[in-house]
Every structure is written in structure tokens, then in C-alpha cells.
Amino acid sequence: MTIHVLKPLALALLMSFVAVPCTVETPHADSRLDVYAKPGQWVTIGKDRRLNLRCSGKGSPAVVLESGNNADSMTWFKVQPEIAKFTRVCAYDRAGTGFSDGGPLPRNIDTHADDLAALINAAHIAAPVILVGHSYGTNIARRFADKHANEAAALILLDPPPQNVGEFSPEFEKADAEEHAGMLEAVRRCEQGAQDGKLDAPPPELKACLRGPNPQFSPALNSAIHANKVRPAFWQTIISITETNVDLYKQPVSKSESHGSMPLVILQPDAPFEDVPAELRTPMEQARQKTQQAIAATSTRSKIIRVAHSSHDVQLDRPDAVVEAVHDAIAMRAEKAKQR
């Protein structure tokens, strides 16, 4: 999906708003992605709400993959098969994305963390689990660990987004607020178009709501993505997350956040702001460093691992680094158990 009012400022704080795995290495359709043209396993949570779950592999501890904003389980197509070689691993579509039903509004990190807890319970995923979160998903993983500490074995966080950038650049904060308002207005137009059934054959004013078919995807996958993103529930979810993210990213990491001695690994890519104007990169990098150091300080067993040759989308650019981090977290957990 491309929304033309979405400039680098707003994009920087929402990070994975339009993320889909487009970085395959061939100009032809990648057959590995065809599995994402249909649901995996629908799991009922709450009252008649279903989330789409994809699990593979065997072993313990289980690994649960938490996608970035607007991304779904497909973003893990390079990572999940590799983790499945040595333990059980599950990815899912959050409420309103992919094949999952919408959820009650507002959608924020608390409601998503509650959904994740309900999913783990309903799907009988053996806890405690290792949580791997990307971008916005790192906030959900951390909140889940706050609320369900006994169900979280370790946290692996792929490039947590910068918070409180305004501390380093008030100009950034003002400009981003203006562009955020424009983006939200555009998304609301898309939501109304979905409600009116106009996105299948959109008029000119709605053509920016959806991307055209991706030549790297099969016709079946392109069709499934299109069908999922013309649903009003998808747009309602995006609107709600966009609204609640304003406060989330405006604030610094809470000084009260604590994960005790839980293993916590942060993967820090070396090129996270490639699409951001050069004059904005310095305050964003300053905020990113401070944010990630503050998150690392929430656990006595944490480490920040710098990842070379990677954009913000570490799971696509360096899946090997993610897999290695899972091995690392398992080893840290085993070492912690020996010290008891």
C-alpha cells in the first residue's frame, strides 16, 4: 500500500506501516510464499474472534514471532523455517491483519498483548515462550512480558523504534505531527472506501490506498493480500494503531519497566534510516540509541548486538542474525537455570 502523503517523518515513527516481504532475490514469483495465500490455523479467542496462526517444528522452548505494524505472519517467511529446524515456532496475524478477524477498538499494545496471551492459551502453545518482536512488535512483546512474566522465557527485539525523538529535535516532533495528521486523514478515506465497497475497483481518489500486484508474488498470493486489505477491519485497525502510536512513541521508555533477569537480546541494524532525509537521521539515531539502551537496562541479562548489512527489516535482510539470536537466548536461559 502506498499513501502519497506518507513522508519520511511519519514513516520513521510508524516504521513497518507498509511492510511486506518484497526483498526476495529473484524477479520471479517465490514459491516459498505461496503458503501465505491461505490461512494456516484459525484459533478462536474471546467471543467468536479468530486469529490466524502458523506453527512449525518441534521442541522447547517454543518461539513466538510478533510482526511489525501492519505486517503479518508473512514477514517471517525467511526466519520461521530456519527456527523450525531446532524448535517449535509460531507466527500469527494480529487482529485486523492478514487472515485474522478484527478486534475491539482501540487497538494498542495492551489489547494486542492480551490477544497474544489468549492465543497462546487457546492454541496450547507451551509456555514460557521466547518472544521475537520486530519494530512495533517489540513494544507488544515487552508489554506481554510485563503482564505475563511467567509466560515469557526471553525477549528478542529487532530494532525497537526510537521513542521521544523530540528530545533531540523539537522541529522533528512538530513536523512529524503535521504529517501524521495528513496520513491519518488519508487512511480514514481508505477506510470509508472499504466500507463503501469501492477498493476492489477504486476511483482515482482511492487508488493510492492499495499497491498493485507484486511481480514477486504468485497470482494467488496477490489475490489473497488484496482481499485481506479491502476489508474495513484492516483499515479500522490501522487507524486505531496510528492514533494510539502518537502517545506511545512520543514518550521515553518508562523508568518503571523491568524484566528482572529475563534474557533480553536487541538486534541493532547498521542502516535503519535509509529512506529518511539526511538532516533527520542524526536526531533519530540519537533517540534510537537512547531508546534501545533504556530497554536493555530493563533486564540484568541483556545485550545489544549490532547487525551489519541490514535495514530496519532485520528479519528480511539478515534472517541468520535472528536465528542466531534465538540460539543465544536459549543458551542464556539454560545458563540462568544452572545458576538457580
Side-chain angles (χ1 to χ4, degrees), residues 50 75 94 103 133 146 162 170 190 220 232 268 275 283 292 307 311 318:
R50 302 174 304 171
T75 197
R94 282 195 300 272
D146 282 339
C190 295
Q268 190 178 82
D275 297 329
Q292 295 182 2
V307 182
S311 70
R318 288 292 308 278

Side-chain angles (χ1 to χ4, degrees), residues 239-259:
I239 290 170
S240 186
I241 291 175
T242 303
E243 292 172 335
T244 59
N245 274 2
V246 173
D247 288 335
L248 174 66
Y249 289 126
K250 189 174 182 179
Q251 305 299 321
V253 175
S254 173
K255 293 182 178 179
S256 65
E257 181 175 345
S258 174
H259 302 295

Side-chain angles (χ1 to χ4, degrees), residues 129-203:
V129 302
I130 293 176
L131 287 168
V132 180
H134 171 238
S135 192
Y136 176 70
T138 66
N139 297 90
I140 297 171
R142 288 158 49 205
R143 184 55 56 88
F144 176 90
D146 282 339
K147 302 177 79 169
H148 307 279
N150 292 334
E151 296 183 39
L155 291 171
I156 299 173
L157 309 177
L158 281 54
D159 203 26
Q163 297 182 210
N164 194 26
V165 183
E167 176 186 357
F168 300 96
S169 175
E171 296 81 9
F172 178 102
E173 187 172 53
K174 180 181 178 181
D176 193 72
E178 293 174 355
E179 296 210 12
H180 185 276
M183 184 193 68
L184 192 55
E185 181 182 349
V187 176
R188 285 178 174 143
R189 288 197 296 269
C190 295
E191 190 273 337
Q192 187 60 56
Q195 290 279 12
D196 296 339
K198 293 181 177 179
L199 292 190
D200 266 324

Side-chain angles (χ1 to χ4, degrees), residues 30 107 149 152 164:
D30 190 326
R107 304 309 301 169
N164 194 26

